[in-house]
Amino acid sequence: MKQYGAEFFGTFWLVFGGCGSAVLAAGFPGLGIGFAGVSLAFGLTVMTMAYAIGHISGCHLNPAVSIGLWVGGRFPASKLLPYIVAQVAGGFIGAAILFLIASGTVGFDASKGFASNGFAEHSPGGYTMMAALLIEIVLTMFFLIVILGSTDKRAQAGFAPIAIGLCLTLIHLISIPVTNTSVNPARSTAVALFVGDWAVAQLWLFWVAPIVGAVLGATVYRFIGASDEK
């Protein structure tokens, strides 16, 4: 239960901190943090939680990561469902508190986006569904390669949270204009439930693409990261 609790609070922090930076700080007149600030915020949530709870639960904070680690031989199948439930629940509560805070200003309207992921007319840059699908698959694939590589027992100890946090920052710098960046079904679900309508209708892509990408990334790392020692 401690592991599931760690995943709950960790994913809460990721959604509240990452999406909160987009909802509350990115558009603040004259002082907004912009795409770069939001990208850094997401990276910082993962990095700080990796140091805080990595030794408790592994700090997945993401159903796609949990599935990828299972495919990569680093995580037991018996814990997959409880981890995913804890992640989705934690993300939802984080989004709920963010919603209450954001509602405290005049003119707030969750239907305008609330940091939701989308494609076509709901993509920040108007990118197609195929473009969104492809970028989410590719970026999640590389995210898993970085996660598996930096946490490999042969890697330099203690630096994995930095590598993973910076990787997520880079991922957001690349893809916010395309999909508002998911690579995490729990993060996408949490805010989509408060937007409803189009955000829920398009949510399938932000489950399918990250999971496919995570499986590909784990498969690639199992090949390139295999030890030559006999």
Side-chain angles (χ1 to χ4, degrees), residues 144-225:
L144 260 293
I145 292 172
V146 170
I147 291 171
L148 289 165
S150 62
T151 57
D152 194 302
K153 62 182 180 181
R154 297 166 293 173
Q156 190 75 26
F159 289 95
I162 297 174
I164 295 167
L166 289 176
C167 181
L168 190 60
T169 299
L170 175 60
I171 284 170
H172 280 77
L173 287 171
I174 296 168
S175 62
I176 287 178
V178 184
T179 62
N180 221 18
T181 310
S182 172
V183 302
N184 184 338
R187 167 260 189 271
S188 297
T189 302
V191 290
L193 293 176
F194 288 89
V195 177
D197 193 26
W198 65 265
V200 173
Q202 294 190 353
L203 187 58
W204 65 268
L205 187 144
F206 302 104
W207 275 86
V208 172
I211 290 173
V212 170
V215 170
L216 289 174
T219 304
V220 168
Y221 192 78
R222 290 196 79 156
F223 172 68
I224 66 173

Side-chain angles (χ1 to χ4, degrees), residues 60-205:
H60 300 185
L61 317 184
N62 183 336
V65 170
S66 295
I67 291 169
L69 291 174
W70 166 63
V71 173
R74 302 273 192 92
F75 190 66
S78 60
K79 292 184 179 180
L80 264 181
L81 183 58
Y83 260 56
I84 291 172
V85 169
Q87 292 156 0
V88 172
F92 176 78
I93 298 301
I97 293 177
L98 176 60
F99 180 84
L100 292 174
I101 294 170
S103 299
T105 187
V106 176
F108 171 72
D109 182 2
S111 67
K112 293 180 179 179
F114 196 52
S116 284
N117 303 114
F119 53 85
E121 67 270 27
H122 301 295
S123 157
Y127 286 83
T128 65
M129 181 185 73
M130 188 56 65
L133 188 69
L134 186 58
I135 200 166
E136 289 286 331
I137 290 174
V138 170
L139 291 179
T140 312
M141 180 181 77
F142 277 94
F143 194 32
L144 260 293
I145 292 172
V146 170
I147 291 171
L148 289 165
S150 62
T151 57
D152 194 302
K153 62 182 180 181
R154 297 166 293 173
Q156 190 75 26
F159 289 95
I162 297 174
I164 295 167
L166 289 176
C167 181
L168 190 60
T169 299
L170 175 60
I171 284 170
H172 280 77
L173 287 171
I174 296 168
S175 62
I176 287 178
V178 184
T179 62
N180 221 18
T181 310
S182 172
V183 302
N184 184 338
R187 167 260 189 271
S188 297
T189 302
V191 290
L193 293 176
F194 288 89
V195 177
D197 193 26
W198 65 265
V200 173
Q202 294 190 353
L203 187 58
W204 65 268
L205 187 144

